[in-house]
Amino acid sequence: MDITTWMTNHTGWADFILVGLFRQSQHPALLCVVIFMVFLMALSGNAVLIILIHSSAKLHTPMYFFISQLSLMDMMYISITVPKMLLDQVLGVSTISVPECGMQMFLYLTFGGSEYFLLAAMAYDRYMAICHPLHYPMLMNHRVCLLLASGCWFLGSVDGFMLTPVTMTFPFCRSWEIQHFFCEVPAVMKLSCSDTSLYETLVYLCCVLMLLIPVTVISGSYSCILLTIHRMNSAEGRRKALATCSSHMMVVTLFYGAAVYTYMLPSSYHTPQKDMVVSVFYTILTPVLNPLIYSFRNQDVTGALRKMLHVESFSKQ
């Protein structure tokens, strides 16, 4: 019996109901407008950053290549959940079909997992640039950067292919209301009427592995970086290295902190309201903050932006 027949017999392809954020709000219309504005800021901020990196020769370095990949992931990441959530609110609809839910879950896991590994690749790049500056151009050439980025995308897709099929083939015979604004694995698993304890353990171990490998790379890279910075004689060199690394650490802390809460803390720490707030933080706010962190704190990016605006204003004259 194939999966389609199995799910038809057990679930009848009934639609899930996304409870969402707006039912929890006293002012849903205002919240809808705010989220829409944040969504536009995330898309425009990341799109501008990608355009700047690809158009400015000064930004054609491994660090900015990885930042452009991060911006691309963030644009896709926020586009998986927010447009449907806003459209449902405007149209007064709150359902999502089983295939749509599975697709949303797969894409969310893929882009989220890819970002975990990309942040580790960015930390490794900073380690090579600061600790091995003489060999950096050779060790982090364009081919190596492409391989690292491709590896991040591949590992993220593995996460999606591993967790989505198993999650979506459990029988759902409790309430079809997902206490969330998108199809996140823990929220969907709560609807299953079968024993999911073994699978939940597998998800926990998978997430530990997904987080442990990048965190190990990041911790090792920044330990070496801090030692190297401490030995620097140049105060300007120390300041520039710390500024670059602090930006990256802010992003790492935001993203990994939310992931640890969602997938690694025991269920006793979770409530639907808390889960939705944390998910808003890393699915909606983080894509907005990333371009701000990497642009306003970076003179190269702000310089490229001023140059592009100056060229455009001059051409209009």
Side-chain angles (χ1 to χ4, degrees):
M1 183 184 297
D2 61 22
I3 290 176
T4 303
T5 305
W6 188 93
M7 291 190 71
T8 302
N9 292 339
H10 285 72
T11 68
W13 287 99
D15 290 342
F16 291 114
I17 299 172
L18 293 169
V19 172
L21 292 171
F22 301 108
R23 287 194 192 179
Q24 315 295 325
S25 173
Q26 295 180 350
H27 306 284
L30 178 61
L31 181 61
C32 185
V33 172
V34 170
I35 292 177
F36 178 66
M37 295 302 295
V38 171
F39 175 66
L40 290 182
M41 288 173 60
L43 288 186
S44 58
N46 285 289
V48 167
L49 195 54
I50 291 173
I51 292 170
L52 283 176
I53 290 171
H54 284 274
S55 62
S56 175
K58 191 175 182 180
L59 302 182
H60 291 174
T61 64
M63 181 179 76
Y64 293 110
F65 169 76
F66 289 125
I67 290 176
S68 69
Q69 292 293 303
L70 180 67
S71 291
L72 180 60
M73 289 177 185
D74 281 340
M75 290 177 68
M76 294 180 174
Y77 197 58
I78 196 171
S79 298
I80 297 166
T81 57
V82 172
K84 175 170 176 53
M85 178 175 64
L86 294 176
L87 190 61
D88 287 353
Q89 175 63 17
V90 172
L91 298 177
V93 179
S94 59
T95 59
I96 183 170
S97 67
V98 173
E100 288 174 337
C101 185
M103 181 58 67
Q104 189 182 64
M105 184 183 296
F106 169 75
L107 294 174
Y108 155 77
L109 289 170
T110 296
F111 296 135
S114 299
E115 192 156 332
Y116 295 148
F117 289 103
L118 183 67
L119 292 172
M122 292 171 72
Y124 175 73
D125 170 68
R126 292 299 83 210
Y127 159 74
M128 297 302 297
I130 295 172
C131 300
H132 302 282
L134 297 179
H135 300 95
Y136 178 69
M138 180 180 65
L139 295 174
M140 291 298 293
N141 57 47
H142 187 63
R143 182 184 177 187
V144 172
C145 292
L146 286 176
L147 286 173
L148 286 173
S150 300
C152 294
W153 286 99
F154 172 75
L155 291 171
S157 66
V158 168
D159 188 36
F161 279 118
M162 283 178 57
L163 299 184
T164 304
V166 180
T167 303
M168 297 308 297
T169 50
F170 274 105
F172 303 109
C173 49
R174 296 179 185 172
S175 168
W176 284 78
E177 287 192 350
I178 299 175
Q179 299 295 318
H180 219 301
F181 60 90
F182 70 101
C183 291
E184 192 171 37
V185 173
V188 174
M189 288 304 302
K190 291 177 182 177
L191 306 183
S192 177
C193 55
S194 62
D195 182 15
T196 61
S197 56
L198 180 61
Y199 177 61
E200 288 173 5
T201 303
L202 175 64
V203 171
Y204 176 81
L205 293 175
C206 179
C207 292
V208 168
L209 187 63
M210 287 282 293
L211 293 173
L212 185 61
I213 294 174
V215 166
T216 301
V217 173
I218 292 169
S219 301
S221 297
Y222 280 101
S223 297
C224 296
I225 287 171
L226 290 174
L227 287 173
T228 303
I229 292 174
H230 179 70
R231 295 170 186 159
M232 284 183 178
N233 295 322
S234 169
E236 177 65 20
R238 284 198 300 269
R239 185 197 62 78
K240 189 173 181 180
L242 284 172
T244 302
C245 296
S246 62
S247 298
H248 185 60
M249 285 307 298
M250 287 173 65
V251 175
V252 168
T253 303
L254 292 173
F255 203 72
Y256 280 82
V260 168
Y261 169 84
T262 302
Y263 290 101
M264 296 180 66
L265 289 184
S267 58
S268 58
Y269 288 86
H270 292 259
T271 65
Q273 291 74 24
K274 285 183 181 178
D275 291 348
M276 278 193 277
V277 169
V278 173
S279 295
V280 165
F281 196 79
Y282 72 88
T283 60
I284 300 176
L285 295 183
T286 301
V288 178
L289 294 174
N290 283 350
L292 298 178
I293 290 171
Y294 284 114
S295 59
F296 286 122
R297 293 172 56 88
N298 193 299
Q299 293 180 355
D300 292 335
V301 175
T302 53
L305 180 60
R306 284 195 299 268
K307 184 177 179 181
M308 184 178 75
L309 293 175
H310 177 72
V311 170
E312 288 184 357
S313 61
F314 182 78
S315 62
K316 290 180 181 179
Q317 293 175 0

